[in-house]
Amino acid sequence: MSFRLLVAAAAAQARRRTYSQAARCSGGQTLVEKIAQRHAVDLAEGEVVRSGDFIGIRPHHIMTHDNTGAVIPKFSSIGARRLADARQPVFALDHDIQNTSAKNQAKYAGIEAFAKTHGSKFYPAGRGIAHQVLVEEGHAWPGTMVVGSDSHSNMYGGVGCLGTPVVRTDAAAIWATTQTWWQAPPVARVELRGELAPGVVGKDVIVALCALFANDEVLNHAVEFVGDGASRLPVEDRLAIANMTTEWGALAGLFAVDDVTLRWYDERAERGPHAIVNPDTVAKLRQDVAADPSRWTADSDAVYAKTLWLDLSSLTPHVAGPDSVKIAQPLGELEPRQVNINKAYLLSCVNSRQKDLREAADVVRGVQKARGVPAKVAPGVAWYVAAASSQVLADARASGDWQVLVDAGATPLPPGCGPCIGLGVGLLEDGEVGISATNRNYKGRMGSKAAHTYLSSPAVVAASALQGYICSPETAIAGTSHPPSARPVLYGSEVHKAKPAAAVSTDSASAISGFPQSLSGRLIFLPADNLNTDGIYPGKYTYQDDISREQMRSIVMENYDPEFARLVRADDIVVAGANFGTGSSREQAATAILAAGVRLVICASASETFKRNAVNNGLLVLESPVLVAWLRAAFPDAPLTAVTGLGAVADLVGGKLALTDAKGVLAFETGLPKVGKAAQEIIVAGGLENWVRRRMAAES
């Protein structure tokens, strides 16, 4: 195949994540980019944040929950003695609150003492799930950027706050310095059209999106929800949708602040005296939105990586599963199968707010009214319910909704994560089937790996608990099958054409002292997609703390290809497929690659957790799906580890990659994400912890 044909083949195959070069050259900013811009630090004068940029960020808040106990020793190990800004961290205990063992109580007491010592905000066990608490208490505030050491930090996007997850090392760095790094992700525009029919809610929207676009369309993207359909959704539905963009594969899910948002804050401001959410702060928020509307929305000429759309009016109730969020079907198709259940769950940060509890209670009321007798949970079914927070619980009790659920036979649990994370009472046992209003249904997530879990809206959970099998509220009320009419869901995607733009000038690009302008070496190609951390660094070595770097070098990629360790050389540039580093969060997957002498990995896409662990340990990970597609066309029969014979030169600051053959003739060139100052500083320091130490030393 000729070089020209190879390039054409590469372009045809490049369908995965990519950073829009048009966005780097012209056009306005997305809302994600605007909010990131306001929280970026050390930008050059006139520098505009774009997707793909490595930037330093100073988030409005950093949330940690039970894992605060793991961040504290990391914070101490880097030599930090005080929080750089005690107002920035927020601690909220929510995961293992049913565990009353002395060990767990000591852990919780230690976290509370740490917060008290440093004067930071602390919410004890029982106050609620951290994400809900941050929204209620106003820490996740519209127009700000809030990060959390938890994957469902995306939820803050429901109130116009850019929420995104970070790893524990980032949390420690923020505590010590107020900042960490972030690579602005590509942004997908998701247009919601029309209006939901009665009985269809936000949970149905995100369950449908996860299944309709189940081929990594938004993997490691930020998602901006727009359209007339989005503007009609209540804040509670927006929070549910933003929350489960995590399961969709996204790093953030964001709704613009609009009149619906402002009215929701008006109502919250009337609840009573509050330091953050009160009539004065909400009035100021309204003034800010009115004074500069462009600050609160994407620019009309913003450039997106892609656009997806969903017609809400065509949507009916949906159920995800079993055992995957990427499998979903209309309830009208599933109900006739009469899938019997053993357990039902109405809890979690996605679906246990007051609106959710009321919708479930209304199903119970409907059954009682239709049948003239008290509604009860079906024989053989256990139903568990927990409010998202103590505030939600108080509201549900005041409205009578909570008592309706308890009287129907639901077992109340304290406000927290509980069964959703596989902790506490009520877990699924071998062979059982559960219907849940939670956000994840992976095997083993809520108990036994030999159980099966479906996800649905709170109303469907309630109906199923009363009827004994997965069904609609109408069926539970009538006592005979009345599944919703199934109809085609209207959805699609639009291809974005790059806008003509002048070539990007790299004259202002520069490398800080100690950072290489470029890296060069042999190109080693690993053609597999989804090469997980266990393939890179086997789990059996993870907790062997005395393994040397030389030993790590000998076992790197052992479960993927035992030949890799023999073939790789220092300074090789490794290129891999999509979703590189997926799986567990073990940092050794990155440090083992460094031990082999590799300083740069380029992949079609990377697990965000792996990427953060890599950069935090001094390993650069850049993404170029076009390069991977070209290599696959050029080496269709590549072994697991292919020594390609190509030389690679990566211009890290200018954002370019050139490949040459054995004779030094140019074979291929393409763009790369530029490595900005924030990432450069971390790489030069040898990782984020060393960067923090240097920063603290410079400021002392």
Side-chain angles (χ1 to χ4, degrees):
M1 184 181 288
S2 69
F3 170 71
R4 182 173 297 176
L5 289 175
L6 284 174
V7 174
Q13 292 181 49
R15 294 291 184 265
R16 290 183 177 270
R17 170 184 178 181
T18 182
Y19 294 102
S20 170
Q21 291 301 308
R24 305 205 58 77
C25 305
S26 67
Q29 285 181 299
T30 64
L31 183 55
V32 168
E33 291 167 340
K34 286 185 178 184
I35 297 177
Q37 178 98 32
R38 297 199 288 269
H39 292 80
V41 295
D42 299 329
L43 293 180
E45 185 177 353
E47 185 176 353
V48 177
V49 172
R50 302 289 192 185
S51 293
D53 288 349
F54 285 88
I55 58 174
I57 56 166
R58 182 176 291 120
H60 183 54
H61 286 295
I62 164 68
M63 183 280 294
T64 55
H65 43 62
D66 294 33
N67 59 16
T68 306
V71 179
I72 291 172
K74 190 173 284 289
F75 174 74
S76 300
S77 71
I78 57 181
R81 295 294 177 264
R82 63 178 181 83
L83 300 177
D85 180 357
R87 297 168 298 179
Q88 197 179 26
V90 178
F91 309 121
L93 304 180
D94 62 1
H95 271 52
D96 201 15
I97 65 171
Q98 297 180 44
N99 182 355
T100 58
S101 68
K103 181 178 180 180
N104 195 56
Q105 295 307 301
K107 171 184 172 179
Y108 279 5
I111 294 171
E112 183 174 8
F114 181 86
K116 185 176 181 180
T117 297
H118 293 276
S120 294
K121 204 68 179 177
F122 171 80
Y123 297 98
R127 173 60 185 88
I129 303 174
H131 305 303
Q132 178 70 15
V133 171
L134 260 69
V135 171
E136 289 179 353
E137 297 286 350
H139 302 303
W141 190 254
T144 67
M145 182 178 190
V146 173
V147 301
S149 187
D150 186 274
S151 61
H152 287 108
S153 300
N154 296 26
M155 192 184 94
Y156 314 143
V159 292
C161 169
L162 177 57
T164 195
V166 294
V167 297
R168 296 172 186 180
T169 302
D170 294 302
I174 295 170
W175 290 2
T177 69
T178 75
Q179 57 188 276
T180 188
W181 66 277
W182 197 52
Q183 186 180 19
V187 183
R189 181 178 182 271
V190 176
E191 183 181 351
L192 302 179
R193 303 172 180 174
E195 187 172 5
L196 292 174
V200 185
V201 296
K203 182 62 162 290
D204 298 304
V205 174
I206 191 60
V207 164
L209 286 171
C210 287
L212 295 171
F213 301 100
N215 296 309
D216 295 340
E217 286 89 344
V218 299
L219 179 65
N220 290 340
H221 286 59
V223 173
E224 290 184 12
F225 293 97
V226 301
D228 64 298
S231 66
R232 293 187 175 105
L233 293 172
V235 165
E236 291 81 2
D237 281 355
R238 298 179 186 189
L239 290 167
I241 292 169
N243 181 291
M244 275 191 65
T245 57
T246 299
E247 281 64 44
W248 200 11
L251 300 175
L254 185 62
F255 287 82
V257 175
D258 59 9
D259 195 52
V260 172
T261 318
L262 296 173
R263 288 199 306 270
W264 187 82
Y265 275 102
D266 286 337
E267 293 174 2
R268 294 205 62 78
E270 298 302 322
R271 294 182 65 92
H274 194 277
I276 301 176
V277 187
N278 56 61
D280 290 339
T281 58
V282 174
K284 178 65 165 54
L285 176 62
R286 277 191 173 277
Q287 291 171 5
D288 290 345
V289 173
D292 187 5
S294 65
R295 176 184 172 91
W296 301 87
T297 59
D299 291 328
S300 60
D301 59 344
V303 181
Y304 291 91
K306 61 189 64 174
T307 289
L308 311 175
W309 63 268
L310 174 66
D311 184 347
L312 299 183
S313 63
S314 71
L315 195 63
T316 59
H318 270 58
V319 177
D323 311 324
S324 173
V325 296
K326 291 188 175 184
I327 302 171
Q329 53 204 307
L331 178 59
E333 295 180 4
L334 179 63
E335 181 175 321
R337 302 177 201 169
Q338 295 206 356
V339 177
N340 293 322
I341 63 167
N342 305 99
K343 290 185 171 76
Y345 303 91
L346 176 49
L347 42 84
S348 84
C349 55
V350 65
N351 268 146
S352 57
R353 283 172 276 279
Q354 173 60 14
K355 174 178 179 289
D356 304 313
L357 299 177
R358 183 177 65 249
E359 289 168 354
D362 283 346
V363 174
V364 177
R365 292 186 179 105
V367 171
Q368 292 179 162
K369 183 177 180 180
R371 302 185 188 181
V373 295
K376 293 294 181 181
V377 174
V381 174
W383 185 11
Y384 299 92
V385 59
S389 72
S390 58
Q391 195 173 95
V392 169
L393 178 58
D395 290 345
R397 282 175 169 162
S399 68
D401 293 333
W402 188 259
Q403 195 60 46
V404 167
L405 298 174
V406 173
D407 287 347
T411 300
L413 298 175
C417 300
C420 178
I421 193 67
L423 295 171
V425 302
L427 304 187
L428 288 168
E429 299 179 7
D430 289 358
E432 290 190 330
V433 174
I435 181 74
S436 181
T438 55
N439 42 35
R440 286 181 179 161
N441 59 346
Y442 313 140
K443 275 186 172 292
R445 165 80 178 183
M446 299 181 68
S448 170
K449 290 183 179 180
H452 300 288
T453 312
Y454 294 83
L455 302 180
S456 74
S457 69
V460 171
V461 167
S464 304
L466 298 176
Q467 199 68 7
Y469 63 90
I470 299 175
C471 69
S472 69
E474 291 77 13
T475 293
I477 291 170
T480 56
S481 184
H482 283 270
S485 298
R487 58 178 183 265
V489 179
L490 304 179
Y491 67 100
S493 60
E494 298 175 3
V495 178
H496 286 202
K497 295 182 179 179
K499 297 181 180 181
V504 181
S505 170
T506 59
D507 293 344
S508 62
S510 61
I512 66 171
S513 177
F515 185 81
Q517 173 81 30
S518 64
L519 290 176
S520 60
R522 300 186 310 164
L523 191 149
I524 304 295
F525 182 39
L526 313 180
D529 289 334
N530 302 306
L531 204 173
N532 62 34
T533 49
D534 194 64
I536 300 169
Y537 191 82
K540 62 184 179 182
Y541 303 118
T542 301
Y543 298 104
Q544 296 182 29
D545 298 331
D546 58 349
I547 292 182
S548 67
R549 285 182 66 86
E550 186 57 34
Q551 288 173 308
M552 292 181 84
R553 186 199 183 287
S554 69
I555 61 178
V556 64
M557 301 289 176
E558 181 177 281
N559 282 355
Y560 167 69
D561 181 11
E563 286 295 293
F564 177 87
R566 181 182 65 82
L567 295 171
V568 71
R569 298 178 187 171
D571 296 325
D572 281 347
I573 293 176
V574 171
V575 180
N579 207 19
F580 183 77
T582 186
S584 78
S585 59
R586 67 191 63 154
E587 292 187 359
Q588 297 98 322
T591 55
I593 293 174
L594 281 167
V598 174
R599 294 191 288 168
L600 172 64
V601 173
I602 305 173
C603 49
S605 63
S607 155
E608 189 66 17
T609 300
F610 174 81
K611 187 199 295 182
R612 295 207 70 84
N613 281 333
V615 174
N616 286 349
N617 282 281
L619 173 68
L620 270 176
V621 177
L622 303 177
E623 297 176 351
S624 177
V626 172
L627 169 63
V628 174
W630 185 86
L631 287 169
R632 283 179 170 154
F635 301 93
D637 300 316
L640 293 176
T641 302
V643 181
T644 63
L646 297 171
V649 178
D651 181 348
L652 303 176
V653 180
K656 298 177 182 177
L657 177 75
L659 305 184
T660 55
D661 63 19
K663 296 181 179 179
V665 176
L666 180 67
F668 183 70
E669 59 183 354
T670 188
L672 289 174
K674 297 179 183 179
V675 181
K677 181 183 177 184
Q680 290 183 27
E681 289 181 350
I682 294 168
I683 297 300
V684 169
L688 185 60
E689 292 185 18
N690 286 336
W691 176 86
V692 171
R693 293 187 182 98
R694 291 186 180 187
R695 185 92 179 200
M696 291 190 302
E699 293 176 353
S700 64

